[in-house]
Amino acid sequence: MGETLKLFGWKVSPYSHRAEVALRLKGLKYEFIHEDLANKSDMLIRYNPILKKIPVLLHGDTPIVESQVIVEYIDEVFDGHPILPKDPYERAEARFWARFIDEKVRPQVWMSCWTDGETQKSFIAQAKESLAILQGRLEGKKFFGGDSIGLIDIMACSLALWFGVMQEVVGLNLLNEDDYPELCRWGEEYRNAEAVKECLPERELIVGFFAPRKDRIFAKKAPVYD
Amino acid sequence: MASEKGVMLLDFWVSPFGQRARIALAEKGVQYEYKEENLTEKSELLLKANPVHKKIPVLIHDGKPVCESLIIVEYIDEVWSDKAPLMPSDPYQRAQARFWADFVDKKVYDCGSRLWKLKGEEQQAAKKEMIEILQLLEAQLGDKKYFGGDSFGFVDVAFVPFTSWFYSYETCANFSVEGVAPKVAQWAKRCLERESVAKTLSDPKKVYEFVCFLKKKFGVE
């Protein structure tokens, strides 16, 4: 299939990064189309009418949406670096942890940053438990995927960069080396991996997004783009 | 769990998530042992099989646990791949199937719960949202026999257990699924013609009794 690959994304978004890193792991050529989320393009809305979100992968004329769906699609269509295991049980296990990250770890860490008082304490307690559970899954390996990056690593990317930046901006010290030495070690391995380095945003870009919008994000408990 | 050969499902009778697994197993003709869990007193086996979430359903295959209903369904489809394929073979169609199953997962149960848990304006907002969700699914179904096209597939399995909750949603929030999404209503009836679905889904009246029990328990109304 010699069809072109285009990725509608936004460098600040970890979801966009997930799609990019999968493309790069497979050594694929693609065009990155930057979306201004305060001003979504007609093309984005055309290709993702239901959710109107990035990332959107356009393979030829075919749009694929939702970061994990995109990653699995890339893995199924293109040869090269395997992202999911071949064995059905191991695949189920990888998908379980991907879901755990998206349904528990991410929202709990997010809300720990953007709430205060008793609410924040409760989220922090939940996040701590989830981070500990996730760390346990590493079992001293280089990556969640073993020797090489797999689905869980890609889905956990926020922990390698974004969480650290966000917690600095809000003055929280949740994900640190003392409490989570293995996760922090993993984070460094992830950031230094070849395919990741090529598409990881600069810290300053992420700070530049969060810092000026702190109060508004705190009020909404969700990102604001304008 | 010993490495016992065989398939076991830890479940709860009315759970639409558990029913997804049951339907998938039935479609594949897999023999398994069903174990009903008491959710107020979870068994040692459940706590050991799903230590992270302590939730049903859990599929235990030759002693190894698989958790999360959609993950279980994909696992069943991959292991027993010789019969009744639930996922399409084309990667793009598979991506579509995963998207819509995920859409059902994130939207239907949550919004549905708000329909019976809330009152007044909040309930009205949930009702508006549920109608939007059903109409999006209606558009996706179109004139196809199933969400999977001519054959019963992954999205059908993901969504069909919620059809026995339609009566409860309609009664609590005062609307009609057939009125807002007639193709979905027809699809639900067609699915009930399949043995796997007919034998698995709870009676809508029994689901409503369960919802009323939950309402009392949570002090709603």
Side-chain angles (χ1 to χ4, degrees), chain B residues 57-68:
Chain B
V58 180
L59 184 81
I60 305 178
H61 183 201
D62 294 345
K64 296 197 299 191
V66 183
C67 308
E68 298 292 346

Side-chain angles (χ1 to χ4, degrees), chain B residues 9-219:
Chain B
L9 183 71
L10 308 183
D11 202 346
F12 182 63
W13 69 279
V14 76
S15 163
F17 304 101
Q19 287 171 359
R20 287 168 168 173
R22 283 179 251 164
I23 290 169
L25 287 164
E27 287 283 324
K28 303 283 186 176
V30 176
Q31 298 296 319
Y32 67 99
E33 188 188 333
Y34 178 91
K35 188 176 181 301
E36 177 76 6
E37 282 286 333
N38 175 354
L39 297 185
T40 53
E41 222 185 290
K42 294 174 180 179
S43 72
E44 274 300 307
L45 180 58
L46 174 58
L47 297 176
K48 203 167 156 206
N50 191 356
V52 174
H53 301 297
K54 308 174 178 58
K55 281 177 163 183
I56 56 91
V58 180
L59 184 81
I60 305 178
H61 183 201
D62 294 345
K64 296 197 299 191
V66 183
C67 308
E68 298 292 346
S69 63
L70 291 181
I71 295 175
I72 292 171
V73 173
E74 264 205 88
Y75 175 81
I76 291 168
D77 198 42
E78 288 177 11
V79 172
W80 289 278
S81 54
D82 51 333
K83 192 181 169 189
L86 296 171
M87 276 293 218
S89 47
D90 170 68
Y92 173 66
Q93 296 300 331
R94 292 158 77 81
Q96 284 286 86
R98 286 186 182 123
F99 173 86
W100 284 103
D102 196 53
F103 179 84
V104 169
D105 226 27
K106 289 201 164 72
K107 305 276 186 185
V108 178
Y109 184 72
D110 194 67
C111 187
S113 299
R114 279 183 277 132
L115 285 178
W116 60 260
K117 270 188 187 155
L118 305 173
K119 292 260 137 206
E121 260 182 54
E122 284 182 310
Q123 190 193 45
Q124 286 305 306
K127 174 178 163 178
K128 183 165 177 277
E129 203 186 316
M130 180 55 89
I131 292 173
E132 276 166 23
I133 291 166
L134 288 168
Q135 289 178 334
L136 278 168
L137 287 162
E138 172 103 343
Q140 178 57 20
L141 178 64
D143 292 315
K144 301 198 295 289
K145 187 177 180 190
Y146 297 114
F147 283 92
D150 289 326
S151 39
F152 187 73
F154 189 62
V155 181
D156 301 283
V157 175
F159 187 29
V160 81
F162 294 97
T163 60
S164 46
W165 291 68
F166 284 174
Y167 175 71
S168 301
Y169 299 157
E170 290 168 328
T171 309
C172 293
N174 190 28
F175 74 104
S176 152
V177 172
E178 183 147 18
V180 303
K183 290 178 178 166
V184 168
Q186 281 306 307
W187 162 84
K189 290 197 179 103
R190 261 198 304 280
C191 288
L192 273 171
E193 290 166 15
R194 299 185 78 81
E195 199 181 334
S196 63
V197 176
K199 285 200 165 154
T200 299
L201 257 47
S202 305
D203 183 310
K205 296 276 159 68
K206 288 227 171 340
V207 173
Y208 185 64
E209 270 172 39
F210 180 73
V211 167
C212 292
F213 157 75
L214 286 177
K215 279 168 79 140
K216 260 205 205 105
K217 189 171 161 187
F218 288 108

Side-chain angles (χ1 to χ4, degrees), chain A residues 182-195:
Chain A
E182 279 296 294
L183 276 178
C184 291
R185 194 244 335 132
W186 166 83
E188 201 175 325
E189 293 281 12
Y190 183 81
R191 287 191 300 276
N192 290 323
E194 206 58 50

Side-chain angles (χ1 to χ4, degrees), chain A residues 145-182:
Chain A
D147 292 325
S148 57
I149 290 177
L151 179 71
I152 306 172
D153 302 279
I154 296 175
M155 297 299 282
C157 68
S158 296
L159 283 146
L161 179 64
W162 285 262
F163 282 176
V165 175
M166 206 168 64
Q167 65 178 10
E168 241 178 69
V169 168
V170 301
L172 190 68
N173 182 22
L174 177 58
L175 181 62
N176 60 64
E177 263 189 62
D178 290 332
D179 296 331
Y180 304 101
E182 279 296 294

Side-chain angles (χ1 to χ4, degrees), chain A residues 2-220:
Chain A
E3 290 177 17
T4 54
L5 286 163
K6 289 184 181 167
L7 183 69
F8 293 82
W10 180 46
K11 288 291 182 185
V12 177
S13 160
Y15 299 103
S16 180
H17 167 82
R18 288 172 178 175
E20 270 210 275
V21 85
L23 289 165
R24 288 192 176 267
L25 281 167
K26 297 284 190 183
L28 296 165
K29 294 235 172 320
Y30 62 97
E31 184 190 342
F32 184 90
I33 296 165
H34 171 83
E35 276 289 328
D36 173 5
L37 297 185
N39 238 324
K40 292 175 183 179
S41 72
D42 289 338
M43 273 205 290
L44 175 65
I45 297 174
R46 186 173 129 209
Y47 291 124
N48 191 359
I50 309 243
L51 300 174
K52 304 178 180 60
K53 284 175 165 182
I54 56 92
V56 176
L57 179 71
L58 200 61
H59 187 194
D61 290 321
T62 306
I64 298 108
V65 308
E66 289 296 89
S67 61
Q68 186 175 339
V69 177
I70 292 171
V71 171
E72 293 211 29
Y73 175 83
I74 290 168
D75 198 41
E76 285 178 12
V77 174
F78 299 103
D79 291 328
H81 181 117
I83 296 174
L84 269 101
K86 290 267 172 286
D87 172 70
Y89 185 75
E90 288 171 35
R91 290 162 74 80
E93 204 259 351
R95 286 176 179 140
F96 173 86
W97 288 102
R99 199 181 164 109
F100 178 73
I101 288 162
D102 261 357
E103 299 205 342
K104 299 282 178 192
V105 181
R106 276 196 56 81
Q108 287 162 359
V109 172
W110 174 271
M111 290 302 265
S112 297
C113 290
W114 303 105
T115 52
D116 58 7
E118 289 305 311
T119 315
Q120 187 188 34
K121 282 200 187 120
S122 166
F123 279 118
I124 289 174
Q126 290 174 52
K128 283 184 156 180
E129 200 187 320
S130 298
L131 286 166
I133 290 172
L134 186 63
Q135 180 166 255
R137 170 56 181 75
L138 257 175
E139 296 164 341
K141 297 203 286 294
K142 187 176 182 191
F143 295 112
F144 288 100
D147 292 325
S148 57
I149 290 177
L151 179 71
I152 306 172
D153 302 279
I154 296 175
M155 297 299 282
C157 68
S158 296
L159 283 146
L161 179 64
W162 285 262
F163 282 176
V165 175
M166 206 168 64
Q167 65 178 10
E168 241 178 69
V169 168
V170 301
L172 190 68
N173 182 22
L174 177 58
L175 181 62
N176 60 64
E177 263 189 62
D178 290 332
D179 296 331
Y180 304 101
E182 279 296 294
L183 276 178
C184 291
R185 194 244 335 132
W186 166 83
E188 201 175 325
E189 293 281 12
Y190 183 81
R191 287 191 300 276
N192 290 323
E194 206 58 50
V196 172
K197 264 195 294 203
E198 296 163 2
C199 59
L200 208 59
E202 298 288 333
R203 277 186 90 84
E204 291 68 41
L205 195 69
I206 306 172
V207 175
F209 171 73
F210 282 110
R213 295 175 176 83
K214 247 175 90 171
D215 294 337
R216 285 191 292 155
I217 296 176
F218 186 87
K220 203 176 161 196

